[in-house]
Amino acid sequence: MENKRNILNEVQVDSVADAQRRKKEARKNFSFMFPMVLIYCALMAAVEFLSFLHPFCWVVSVPLAAVICAFPVVYMLKRYKKPGAFAILGIIWCVVTIIFGLKLSFSGLIITLLAMIVSELIRWILGYASKEGIFFGYAAASLLPLGHRVYLWTDTTKYMDLIASLFGEKYSDQLGSFATEIILFLIIIATVAVGYCSARFVILHIRTDKKITEREQENSIDFQDQ
């Protein structure tokens, strides 16, 4: 009977210790994820505002966002080796844009959901701790801002009228010249490509672990040689 009591006490102690470890880990994850998500949203917003300067800036804003947002996202993914990171980014970015009055169309919602789902699936398949999961996952997630840009191709006339009322006929006419399927295809290809390359570049120049084992150093050397 005494042995059973001791075993029960040990189980309870282990359960309490596990719960405390989980809480500590959750706080730790939040402490570094939250700033990275804020930086990501701030950079995305900066690119959105930059697009108002010229129609060409509007067109290249999606691949440009893939480049400048790579650091906070890759840094977060390098440390957070669990599912949900891309979903969190997508949801918070959508909330931020709604707060600023930018609503998603049905097509934009589909693109946003696909970007989140595909990026999560890629990282799940390739491994949450693998570099390839980060590279290809971020490449897919780079299409998130396209959800707020697809109006130009799905509802061109209405969007051109809105742009003309905000920025004038000249801006609207110049932007309308980009409303072709070829441009949309090129934007998607360019965004995925620069997203992948940006993730590779960032991961080679950041260090999230305080200590690096000999095996990690060998893997890093092998990775750079590739």
Side-chain angles (χ1 to χ4, degrees):
M1 195 68 168
E2 187 67 28
N3 288 336
K4 287 184 178 179
R5 264 204 228 78
N6 290 336
I7 292 171
L8 221 77
N9 289 334
E10 288 177 3
V11 171
Q12 288 176 344
V13 170
D14 289 341
S15 298
V16 171
D18 288 340
Q20 289 176 342
R21 277 195 296 269
R22 284 194 294 270
K23 287 181 180 179
K24 185 178 180 180
E25 185 180 358
R27 287 195 297 267
K28 186 178 179 181
N29 288 336
F30 180 81
S31 67
F32 79 84
M33 283 185 70
F34 185 66
M36 293 301 104
V37 172
L38 285 183
I39 293 171
Y40 172 81
C41 290
L43 292 174
M44 290 275 276
V47 174
E48 290 276 348
F49 286 112
L50 181 65
S51 66
F52 299 146
L53 298 178
H54 192 275
F56 183 73
C57 295
W58 190 101
V59 174
V60 300
S61 62
V62 178
L64 179 61
V67 175
I68 69 171
C69 294
F71 177 80
V73 177
V74 172
Y75 182 82
M76 182 178 68
L77 297 175
K78 189 78 166 55
R79 293 187 59 182
Y80 187 73
K81 300 172 183 178
K82 294 179 181 180
F86 287 122
I88 291 170
L89 283 178
I91 291 170
I92 293 180
W93 173 238
C94 287
V95 171
V96 170
T97 55
I98 289 172
I99 292 172
F100 282 100
L102 298 174
K103 296 180 181 180
L104 288 169
S105 65
F106 179 74
S107 300
L109 179 62
I110 295 299
I111 290 173
T112 302
L113 289 175
L114 281 175
M116 288 191 291
I117 293 170
V118 172
S119 57
E120 286 288 344
L121 282 174
I122 289 172
R123 203 170 181 219
W124 175 65
I125 293 169
L126 297 179
Y128 294 105
S130 73
K131 293 183 177 71
E132 290 75 14
I134 295 177
F135 299 156
F136 290 102
Y138 180 71
S142 296
L143 292 172
L144 278 172
L146 185 61
H148 295 90
R149 288 286 186 260
V150 76
Y151 281 107
L152 179 63
W153 296 275
T154 59
D155 200 353
T156 306
T157 303
K158 184 178 179 181
Y159 191 73
M160 287 298 95
D161 291 340
L162 175 63
I163 292 297
S165 65
L166 293 174
F167 305 105
E169 292 290 341
K170 183 179 179 180
Y171 186 102
S172 176
D173 292 340
Q174 289 177 335
L175 184 60
S177 64
F178 296 108
T180 65
E181 289 79 4
I182 294 176
I183 295 296
L184 176 60
F185 176 76
L186 290 175
I187 288 174
I188 293 173
I189 296 299
T191 301
V192 172
V194 299
Y196 175 85
C197 294
S198 298
R200 285 186 68 97
F201 176 82
V202 171
I203 209 167
L204 290 172
H205 294 82
I206 64 172
R207 178 179 168 182
T208 57
D209 301 321
K210 293 182 180 178
K211 294 181 180 179
I212 300 178
T213 64
E214 291 180 4
R215 182 164 183 79
E216 287 175 332
Q217 287 178 341
E218 291 174 2
N219 291 339
S220 178
I221 293 171
D222 293 340
F223 181 77
Q224 290 177 2
D225 290 339
Q226 291 176 5

Short mmCIF file of all heavy atoms in Angstrom, two decimals, residues 70 135 138-139 191-203:
data_model
loop_
_atom_site.label_atom_id
_atom_site.label_comp_id
_atom_site.label_asym_id
_atom_site.label_seq_id
_atom_site.Cartn_x
_atom_site.Cartn_y
_atom_site.Cartn_z
N ALA A 70 11.68 38.33 -44.62
CA ALA A 70 12.30 37.02 -44.44
C ALA A 70 12.97 36.89 -43.07
O ALA A 70 12.86 35.85 -42.41
CB ALA A 70 13.32 36.76 -45.55
N PHE A 135 12.74 26.86 -45.93
CA PHE A 135 12.90 27.45 -47.26
C PHE A 135 11.61 27.40 -48.07
O PHE A 135 11.08 28.42 -48.53
CB PHE A 135 13.99 26.73 -48.04
CG PHE A 135 15.35 26.78 -47.40
CD1 PHE A 135 16.29 25.80 -47.68
CD2 PHE A 135 15.69 27.78 -46.52
CE1 PHE A 135 17.55 25.83 -47.10
CE2 PHE A 135 16.95 27.83 -45.92
CZ PHE A 135 17.89 26.85 -46.21
N TYR A 138 8.44 29.06 -46.27
CA TYR A 138 8.41 30.51 -46.38
C TYR A 138 8.11 30.95 -47.81
O TYR A 138 7.44 31.96 -48.02
CB TYR A 138 9.73 31.12 -45.91
CG TYR A 138 9.73 32.62 -46.01
CD1 TYR A 138 8.97 33.39 -45.14
CD2 TYR A 138 10.47 33.27 -47.00
CE1 TYR A 138 8.95 34.77 -45.24
CE2 TYR A 138 10.46 34.66 -47.10
CZ TYR A 138 9.69 35.40 -46.22
OH TYR A 138 9.64 36.77 -46.33
N ALA A 139 8.62 30.20 -48.78
CA ALA A 139 8.34 30.53 -50.18
C ALA A 139 6.84 30.54 -50.45
O ALA A 139 6.32 31.44 -51.13
CB ALA A 139 9.03 29.53 -51.10
N THR A 191 7.65 35.96 -56.56
CA THR A 191 7.49 35.98 -55.10
C THR A 191 7.97 34.68 -54.47
O THR A 191 8.69 34.69 -53.47
CB THR A 191 6.01 36.22 -54.74
OG1 THR A 191 5.58 37.46 -55.30
CG2 THR A 191 5.83 36.26 -53.23
N VAL A 192 7.55 33.56 -55.05
CA VAL A 192 7.97 32.25 -54.53
C VAL A 192 9.49 32.10 -54.63
O VAL A 192 10.14 31.63 -53.69
CB VAL A 192 7.25 31.11 -55.29
CG1 VAL A 192 7.83 29.75 -54.89
CG2 VAL A 192 5.76 31.15 -55.01
N ALA A 193 10.05 32.53 -55.76
CA ALA A 193 11.50 32.40 -55.98
C ALA A 193 12.30 33.25 -55.00
O ALA A 193 13.24 32.77 -54.36
CB ALA A 193 11.85 32.77 -57.42
N VAL A 194 11.94 34.52 -54.87
CA VAL A 194 12.70 35.40 -53.97
C VAL A 194 12.45 35.05 -52.51
O VAL A 194 13.32 35.23 -51.66
CB VAL A 194 12.40 36.90 -54.23
CG1 VAL A 194 12.78 37.30 -55.63
CG2 VAL A 194 10.95 37.23 -53.93
N GLY A 195 11.26 34.52 -52.22
CA GLY A 195 10.98 34.06 -50.87
C GLY A 195 11.89 32.91 -50.49
O GLY A 195 12.47 32.89 -49.39
N TYR A 196 12.03 31.97 -51.40
CA TYR A 196 12.92 30.82 -51.16
C TYR A 196 14.37 31.28 -51.00
O TYR A 196 15.05 30.89 -50.05
CB TYR A 196 12.80 29.85 -52.33
CG TYR A 196 13.76 28.68 -52.26
CD1 TYR A 196 13.44 27.54 -51.52
CD2 TYR A 196 14.99 28.72 -52.91
CE1 TYR A 196 14.32 26.47 -51.45
CE2 TYR A 196 15.88 27.66 -52.83
CZ TYR A 196 15.54 26.54 -52.10
OH TYR A 196 16.43 25.49 -52.02
N CYS A 197 14.84 32.13 -51.91
CA CYS A 197 16.23 32.60 -51.86
C CYS A 197 16.48 33.45 -50.61
O CYS A 197 17.56 33.35 -49.99
CB CYS A 197 16.55 33.41 -53.11
SG CYS A 197 16.55 32.45 -54.64
N SER A 198 15.52 34.28 -50.24
CA SER A 198 15.67 35.12 -49.05
C SER A 198 15.76 34.27 -47.79
O SER A 198 16.56 34.57 -46.89
CB SER A 198 14.50 36.09 -48.94
OG SER A 198 14.45 36.97 -50.05
N ALA A 199 14.95 33.21 -47.72
CA ALA A 199 15.00 32.32 -46.56
C ALA A 199 16.35 31.62 -46.47
O ALA A 199 16.93 31.50 -45.38
CB ALA A 199 13.88 31.29 -46.64
N ARG A 200 16.89 31.18 -47.61
CA ARG A 200 18.22 30.56 -47.63
C ARG A 200 19.29 31.55 -47.17
O ARG A 200 20.18 31.20 -46.39
CB ARG A 200 18.55 30.07 -49.03
CG ARG A 200 17.85 28.81 -49.46
CD ARG A 200 18.37 28.33 -50.81
NE ARG A 200 19.74 27.88 -50.70
CZ ARG A 200 20.11 26.61 -50.56
NH1 ARG A 200 19.19 25.66 -50.49
NH2 ARG A 200 21.38 26.28 -50.47
N PHE A 201 19.20 32.77 -47.65
CA PHE A 201 20.19 33.79 -47.29
C PHE A 201 20.14 34.08 -45.79
O PHE A 201 21.19 34.13 -45.12
CB PHE A 201 19.93 35.07 -48.08
CG PHE A 201 20.85 36.21 -47.70
CD1 PHE A 201 22.12 36.29 -48.23
CD2 PHE A 201 20.43 37.17 -46.80
CE1 PHE A 201 22.98 37.33 -47.87
CE2 PHE A 201 21.26 38.21 -46.44
CZ PHE A 201 22.55 38.29 -46.97
N VAL A 202 18.94 34.27 -45.26
CA VAL A 202 18.80 34.64 -43.85
C VAL A 202 19.28 33.52 -42.94
O VAL A 202 19.97 33.77 -41.95
CB VAL A 202 17.32 34.99 -43.54
CG1 VAL A 202 17.13 35.15 -42.03
CG2 VAL A 202 16.92 36.28 -44.25
N ILE A 203 18.92 32.29 -43.27
CA ILE A 203 19.25 31.19 -42.36
C ILE A 203 20.76 30.95 -42.29
O ILE A 203 21.26 30.39 -41.31
CB ILE A 203 18.52 29.90 -42.78
CG1 ILE A 203 18.26 29.03 -41.55
CG2 ILE A 203 19.30 29.12 -43.82
CD1 ILE A 203 17.30 27.90 -41.78
#
